[in-house]
Amino acid sequence: MIDFLRRSRASRADVPIDEADNVTADDDNAGAESKYDLKRLMQQLPKNMRCSIQAVKLDGQSVAEAARRCGLSESGVKVNIHRGLKALAAMITKEGTP
């Protein structure tokens, strides 16, 4: 934003709010890094948990569709999601502590 203002010799008051997106920096790598981190964490889960979470939470399938896809019962999918998300949260917490 500062560079834009210097180049255009404008003050902050002169920049229309509609153009703010054009002059602010974006972190182009954030999405890719998040995807990589999620994939790395998911790989640490058992296969059935990974399949259940992928199908329902990431791919947007219903529990019934996920059960067919993963070869599990509907209640098995629900249990795997619950336990898997809990395990992912624990992994994230563990990685965040020095």
Side-chain angles (χ1 to χ4, degrees):
M1 177 90 128
I2 301 268
D3 292 337
F4 171 80
L5 294 173
R6 284 182 185 144
R7 280 192 310 268
S8 65
R9 299 197 189 280
S11 72
R12 283 180 275 163
D14 295 335
V15 178
I17 194 70
D18 297 340
E19 295 178 19
D21 289 340
N22 298 332
V23 295
T24 56
D26 289 327
D27 185 0
D28 296 334
N29 296 326
E33 289 172 3
S34 296
K35 228 181 239 189
Y36 170 77
D37 288 341
L38 179 60
K39 185 175 181 177
R40 183 179 50 80
L41 290 170
M42 291 280 287
Q43 290 299 320
Q44 297 178 49
L45 295 176
K47 179 183 153 201
N48 287 339
M49 279 184 190
R50 191 171 53 243
C51 182
S52 298
I53 292 172
Q54 179 71 45
V56 175
K57 298 298 183 181
L58 301 176
D59 296 342
Q61 293 183 325
S62 69
V63 171
E65 292 169 325
R68 286 190 297 278
R69 175 175 163 180
C70 300
L72 301 167
S73 67
E74 289 184 29
S75 61
V77 168
K78 291 177 187 178
V79 168
N80 278 323
I81 291 171
H82 176 75
R83 290 180 182 167
L85 293 177
K86 212 171 166 180
L88 286 171
M91 285 183 232
I92 292 168
T93 301
K94 182 178 163 186
E95 285 186 5
T97 53

